[in-house]
Amino acid sequence: MTGPYPSRLLEKAVQELTRLPGVGRKTALRYALYLLRQSPEVVHSFAQSLTDLRDHVSHCKICHNLSDHDICDICAANNRDRTQVCVVENVHSVMCIEQTGQYNGLYHVLGGIISPMDGIGPSDIELASLISRAEEGEIKEVILALSPTMEGDTTNFYISRRLAHLDLKISVIARGVSVGDGLEYTDEVTLGRSILGRTPLQS
């Protein structure tokens, strides 16, 4: 459908839905028409969940994972191994690793990786807080679980240099993850084995 919409409100809804990644106008129109067929309660609940998501979800003050509170459930859990910290690029990576069931330590979400081509330097990601956590003394191993790309390897190297003055074991996940792939595209079994088969980082 390329002509004028029968409703300005429908057209507005379609325009807003196309803001979502991978959603074109045809898909957005299908979503909008689907929502129109639902009961007001369903649609209002859907809309409220998005509003609550934006207004009330924040980042953990310790690891920068998403959380409904100041401290996320992982950092607050008493049954996690607090001597291990797995460093990841984003929240999605935390979710992927948790789904493997092969890791029971803590996390640190960088919120990005060093990429000079994109203008992203060490000061643009959550590195300072990682160094501070490591210097507190409780952490004994830092596991670098960044995607095996040139940018990921650059970030691994930089972090290892910044932590070199501390008595820490620094390891990287095994290369069962294909070079150039993101963790979110790796199956759970392969990712789980990569965590278990991590190797010391040669800096």
Side-chain angles (χ1 to χ4, degrees):
M1 181 177 181
T2 58
Y5 288 78
S7 164
R8 291 179 181 176
L9 295 177
L10 174 62
E11 183 175 8
K12 175 63 174 176
V14 169
Q15 289 175 349
E16 293 301 320
L17 287 168
T18 58
R19 295 176 183 268
L20 297 173
V23 177
R25 294 189 72 84
K26 288 183 178 179
T27 300
L29 177 60
R30 187 165 68 251
Y31 288 165
L33 293 176
Y34 170 82
L35 290 171
L36 274 177
R37 294 195 298 270
Q38 308 309 303
S39 68
E41 293 78 16
V42 168
V43 178
H44 292 162
S45 177
F46 176 75
Q48 188 61 51
S49 70
L50 295 179
T51 300
D52 291 342
L53 174 70
R54 187 63 190 87
D55 292 347
H56 302 300
V57 174
S58 58
H59 290 89
C60 174
K61 291 184 176 180
I62 298 175
C63 73
H64 311 291
N65 191 14
L66 291 181
S67 177
D68 295 337
H69 310 285
D70 288 343
I71 308 299
C72 73
D73 292 342
I74 293 177
C75 286
N78 293 323
N79 62 341
R80 309 286 299 205
D81 184 349
R82 313 193 77 80
T83 67
Q84 292 182 330
V85 169
C86 185
V87 180
V88 296
E89 178 181 350
N90 52 44
V91 172
H92 196 177
S93 295
V94 174
M95 297 169 66
C96 291
I97 294 173
E98 283 295 286
Q99 287 174 358
T100 71
Q102 300 296 325
Y103 178 71
N104 192 46
L106 303 179
Y107 291 92
H108 189 88
V109 181
L110 294 175
I113 52 179
I114 297 172
S115 178
M117 293 291 291
D118 298 318
I120 301 174
S123 62
D124 297 313
I125 57 180
E126 296 292 348
L127 274 178
S129 55
L130 172 62
I131 307 303
S132 296
R133 290 179 71 184
E135 289 176 340
E136 290 174 358
E138 187 175 14
I139 297 170
K140 303 302 179 185
E141 180 182 12
V142 173
I143 304 168
L144 301 174
L146 304 178
S147 298
T149 61
M150 183 171 61
E151 292 80 8
D153 287 344
T154 298
T155 307
N156 284 341
F157 179 76
Y158 185 85
I159 292 174
S160 70
R161 300 296 291 177
R162 289 294 306 275
L163 296 176
H165 66 290
L166 300 173
D167 184 20
L168 289 173
K169 177 182 178 182
I170 302 177
S171 55
V172 293
I173 58 175
R175 291 304 170 116
V177 180
S178 299
V179 174
D181 284 350
L183 293 190
E184 62 268 30
Y185 303 115
T186 305
D187 65 89
E188 293 177 14
V189 174
T190 300
L191 182 56
R193 289 175 177 171
S194 295
I195 293 291
L196 292 176
R198 61 187 181 273
T199 57
L201 178 65
Q202 303 297 324
S203 59

